[in-house]
Amino acid sequence: MQLSKEMVLAKANEVSKNTLMETLDIEMIDYGEDFLVARMPVTPKVHQPDGVLHGGATAALAESVGSFASHIFIDLEEYFVRGLEITANHLKSVKEGYVYAKATFLHKGRTTQLLDIRVTDEKDNLISICRLSTISLPLKK
C-alpha cells in the first residue's frame, strides 16, 4: 500500500517524539520522488554562546533529514539504516527564524546511499552544505 505524502510526513514526525529531533524541534515538512525537506527553528536553544546557530545543531538537522530520506526509500520490513559519515561546511550564520534542510540523493544503492543536504534560511540563502553517507543493513530475523 502506497502511503500519501501527508501520511509519510506524519509518520516521520511521530517517530521523532522523545528524540533529539523533538528536542531541536526538527520537523519533516515535504518530500518527493528523490528528496526530503525538514525545518528547524533558530532560537537560543540552538545558538552558540555568541547568539548564532550552532554548527552541531545544523549537522543534527542534516543527519536527521538525510537518514529519514534513506528510511523513506527502503523497505523497513527488511532493512534498517545507519549513518556512516557526515560532513558540513558552514557558509553563513543565522540568528533567528527557520533553517530548511533539503536532502537529495547523489547515490541510492542497495547497501550504501550518499545524500547532498543543503541548509538554507527563510530567504533561501545557503547556510551550510552537508554530505551524509548511510548504510542499509538487513534486519536479523
Side-chain angles (χ1 to χ4, degrees), residues 62 85-89 129-132:
E85 181 179 26
I86 187 163
T87 62
N89 294 98
I129 297 175
C130 305
R131 291 277 161 76
L132 174 67

Side-chain angles (χ1 to χ4, degrees), residues 5-106:
K5 178 190 274 193
E6 294 77 20
M7 291 176 72
V8 169
L9 294 171
K11 187 172 182 169
N13 289 315
E14 179 61 31
V15 299
S16 294
K17 300 289 185 213
N18 298 313
T19 68
L20 179 66
M21 284 77 73
E22 183 178 54
T23 300
L24 299 178
D25 296 318
I26 294 171
E27 177 185 16
M28 304 301 152
I29 61 169
D30 193 17
Y31 94 99
E33 192 172 305
D34 67 345
F35 72 90
L36 178 64
V37 179
R39 73 177 180 176
M40 181 178 68
V42 180
T43 65
K45 178 165 50 174
V46 295
H47 282 170
Q48 42 187 36
D50 66 352
V52 299
L53 177 61
H54 193 289
T58 306
L61 171 63
E63 182 151 2
S64 297
V65 72
S67 291
F68 264 110
S70 289
H71 276 92
I72 288 172
F73 297 105
I74 68 160
D75 180 356
L76 291 177
E77 293 182 15
E78 297 289 327
Y79 299 93
F80 67 97
V81 173
R82 293 292 181 260
L84 291 174
E85 181 179 26
I86 187 163
T87 62
N89 294 98
H90 307 297
L91 308 170
K92 186 174 175 72
S93 61
V94 179
K95 293 183 177 188
E96 60 187 8
Y98 280 90
V99 285
Y100 297 84
K102 182 176 183 179
T104 55
F105 284 92
L106 297 172

Side-chain angles (χ1 to χ4, degrees), residues 114-131:
L114 180 62
L115 296 109
D116 176 67
I117 302 149
R118 294 187 178 257
V119 179
T120 58
D121 65 11
E122 293 174 301
K123 295 178 182 171
D124 207 32
N125 294 308
L126 187 59
I127 305 303
S128 297
I129 297 175
C130 305
R131 291 277 161 76

Side-chain angles (χ1 to χ4, degrees), residues 70 105 107 109-115 132-136:
S70 289
F105 284 92
H107 171 72
R110 287 179 292 161
T111 304
T112 61
Q113 301 79 41
L114 180 62
L115 296 109
L132 174 67
S133 59
T134 60
I135 188 166
S136 300

